[in-house]
Every structure is written in C-alpha cells, then in structure tokens.
Amino acid sequence: MTLDAIQVRVLGALIEKEIATPENYPLSLNALLNACNQRSSRDPVLDLTEDEVRQAVHSLEEVHLVSPVRDARVPKYEHRARTVWNLRRDETAVLCLLMLRGPQTTGELRSRADRLFTFDDLAAVQATLERLAARTEDAAGTGPLTKMLPRQPGARESRYAHLLSRAEAYAGLASGIAGSRAIQDSEADAASDGQHSADRLSALEAEMQAKLDALGATVEELRDRIAQMEANFSERRASQL
C-alpha cells in the first residue's frame, strides 16, 4: 500500500483530531480541509483545495482507511487506520506525527507527542519506532511502517520517517506549492512595483504642476511690475514736458 502525500495528510489529520479533539470528531469535509491546511504542527504547510481533499477521502475509503458517518446531516469522516494496521496507541501517535510533520528524531517525537500519547522517555519512543519498523507484511499488504534515515552531515541524531508514501511525493508536492507561492509573490511584487511607479509618477506630476503654477504667478507679478514701471516713466516724462 503506497499513499500519495495528500492521502497521508488527510489520514494524519483525522488521526490527530480523533485523539486531540474527540469532541469535534468525526470531521466534516470543511473541518478536515482546515485540519489539513493548518499552519502549525504541519511540515510541509499545504494549501489543499476542497476537491483535492474530497478525492483523497474517496480513495482512502476504497482501501478501508477512512469511512463516512452516515447518521449526520453533514457528511463526516473517520479513520480506520488503527483497525486496518492493528496499531497500539503509542504506535498510532508516532505514525501520526511522522505523517503530519515529516522525518523527526526520537527527541522531537517525544516532545511533540504530548497531546497524542505520553512517552516516559526516549527509550519508549525508540521501542515504538522499532516495532513499527519490524512489522512483517500482513493480509492488508502492509509491512514495515517506519524506517531510520541516514544521519545528516553534522546531525547528532538520526531521524525516522514513515513508509506510507514515497519521499519524492512530498518533495514534489512541497516544491509545487513553493513554486506556486513564488509565482504569487512575484505577481504581488510586480503589482506593488507597478503601484509604486504609478504613485511616484503622480507625485512627480503634482510637483511639476505646483512649480508651473508658481512660475505662472511669478510671471504675472513681473508683468504687473513692468506695467507699473512703464506707467511711472510715462508720468515723469509728461511732467517734464
């Protein structure tokens, strides 16, 4: 069984909300969409559409990992991961965190699991990860659910990842979203630059008009002075004659 990144996010969000906020569980499609697109406790942060979440839910229904609740006015959904994969509570919590936040160390998993399960120490987290990694393929076609990743250069601890989807699926989804956001940011910057240029042009036009008005007033004043001087000169000549 290989899930795509959106299916993993949907399933992880359902597991999290069942444990952390049971009073609001099962989830409607809108509530599930909000849970998938949370800005906190998610890596990567996604901007999924309602259609994407709906399609993921339907595909998870086909493999019996999600089921609808028919007795609600608004269709709601619940996960069946614990039943399908025969998971313990500690295993469910660790798998949920890996689904929602990507590869993590045992220390990160323990500190982030408080709302889902309380681990006594790092050894307990390690034991849970090892059980998930040592699973043999069952009737549902599910084998090991986690693995330890090669230690990154300079890192003190190894990280663990789930095996429900290929890593490149996440990378592709994250890069696609990043590219979309980069385009949006570029368009916003271009619009901002255009508005800034328009504002500068308007300010320049206003400044030039003010200078022209001042110049016109100066010319009128000079004309009045010249006319007055000519009148005075004419009066002097007349008096001399």
Side-chain angles (χ1 to χ4, degrees), residues 17-202:
K17 298 308 179 185
E18 179 208 16
I19 302 173
T21 57
E23 66 278 7
N24 297 322
Y25 184 84
L27 302 184
S28 65
L29 185 62
N30 185 62
L32 180 55
L33 175 64
N34 292 333
C36 290
N37 290 339
Q38 273 185 211
R39 299 302 177 190
S40 61
S41 303
R42 301 291 185 267
D43 188 13
V45 173
L46 304 179
D47 285 316
L48 302 179
T49 66
E50 185 175 305
D51 286 340
E52 288 173 327
V53 172
R54 182 184 293 108
Q55 291 173 14
V57 167
H58 291 165
S59 62
L60 289 169
E61 285 185 60
E62 293 175 359
V63 293
H64 310 295
L65 285 170
V66 168
S67 61
V69 178
R70 302 296 185 186
D71 60 349
R73 289 187 304 170
V74 177
K76 295 185 177 182
Y77 303 92
E78 60 185 5
H79 78 88
R80 298 186 57 79
R82 198 159 40 234
T83 301
V84 172
W85 292 329
N86 192 27
L87 297 173
R88 298 171 20 157
R89 289 196 62 184
D90 58 337
E91 295 170 341
T92 304
V94 165
L95 195 59
C96 176
L97 288 172
L98 294 176
M99 294 165 73
L100 293 178
R101 305 186 72 157
Q104 298 162 73
T105 65
T106 54
E108 289 171 332
L109 287 168
R110 186 191 178 199
S111 65
R112 294 167 177 173
D114 285 344
R115 294 193 309 151
L116 307 179
F117 186 85
T118 301
F119 289 95
D120 293 333
D121 50 32
L122 294 180
V125 180
Q126 185 71 42
T128 301
L129 288 164
E130 290 176 355
R131 283 198 310 273
L132 289 170
R135 290 167 59 103
T136 57
E137 187 166 330
D138 55 22
T142 304
L145 292 175
T146 64
K147 71 173 182 178
M148 184 172 66
L149 301 177
R151 186 175 300 180
Q152 296 178 320
R156 297 176 57 186
E157 298 181 63
S158 296
R159 298 183 304 160
Y160 292 81
H162 69 77
L163 295 176
L164 300 174
S165 65
R166 297 184 179 89
E168 57 266 25
Y170 269 112
L173 184 60
S175 62
I177 291 174
S180 175
R181 287 177 177 166
I183 292 173
Q184 293 175 358
D185 290 344
S186 177
E187 290 175 348
D189 289 343
S192 177
D193 289 344
Q195 182 62 43
H196 184 60
S197 297
D199 291 343
R200 288 185 61 188
L201 181 59
S202 297

